[in-house]
Amino acid sequence: MKEIIFDKNKYSSYKDFYSQIYKDLEGEKIPDWEDYDDLHYNAGLLDEFLWYCHNDNIKYIFVNFDKEKIKLQKNYDDYEYSIVLKVFERFVKQYPNNTLEFKMDEDKK
């Protein structure tokens, strides 16, 4: 199973995160998505884009995404991140050959 790690500390905003998703899932190699390098920061497009990867057996590891803090939506980034997390959670539920794991840096110790 391939692993893709997204570390929230590496992104200055949710927009960087969208760009990283596209890059890590090699969107430029998918003909229908070759012109969407940031998925237009749109959760609907992300949902559709993930479908193109549903047979890839990927373990998505989200590091430093504190779901409880994000749920509070204290800023716009948290709002966007909460939507993206819901998209991924629904995706792995629909396609259980893919998995989702959340870790915090302190979990590595």
Side-chain angles (χ1 to χ4, degrees):
M1 177 174 271
K2 179 180 177 181
E3 289 186 356
I4 296 179
I5 299 171
F6 300 112
D7 185 345
K8 188 172 184 283
N9 291 340
K10 293 183 179 180
Y11 313 122
S12 61
S13 78
Y14 74 94
K15 291 181 177 183
D16 294 336
F17 181 51
Y18 268 99
S19 296
Q20 190 67 47
I21 292 168
Y22 180 85
K23 179 183 173 198
D24 286 351
L25 293 174
E26 300 177 333
E28 72 280 354
K29 294 182 179 178
I30 304 170
D32 290 345
W33 294 95
E34 57 194 8
D35 296 326
Y36 289 83
D37 59 349
D38 55 22
L39 302 173
H40 298 294
Y41 317 117
N42 182 292
L45 290 178
L46 171 62
D47 189 42
E48 186 177 342
F49 176 72
L50 287 175
W51 180 85
Y52 283 77
C53 306
H54 77 279
N55 286 323
D56 293 350
N57 301 319
I58 298 173
K59 180 178 185 176
Y60 298 97
I61 301 172
F62 286 72
V63 179
N64 297 312
F65 285 83
D66 187 334
K67 288 178 22 174
E68 295 306 314
K69 285 184 181 177
I70 290 171
K71 281 183 191 176
L72 297 175
Q73 298 182 9
K74 290 189 174 189
N75 57 50
Y76 189 74
D77 267 12
D78 286 348
Y79 168 75
E80 289 290 340
Y81 278 125
S82 71
I83 294 170
V84 170
L85 296 180
K86 287 177 188 175
V87 168
F88 270 95
E89 288 171 337
R90 185 175 56 232
F91 174 74
V92 298
K93 196 177 281 188
Q94 285 181 300
Y95 304 103
N97 56 308
N98 298 283
T99 62
L100 181 61
E101 181 179 335
F102 289 91
K103 295 181 179 182
M104 297 301 285
D105 271 339
E106 63 265 11
D107 294 342
K108 293 179 184 177
K109 296 177 183 174

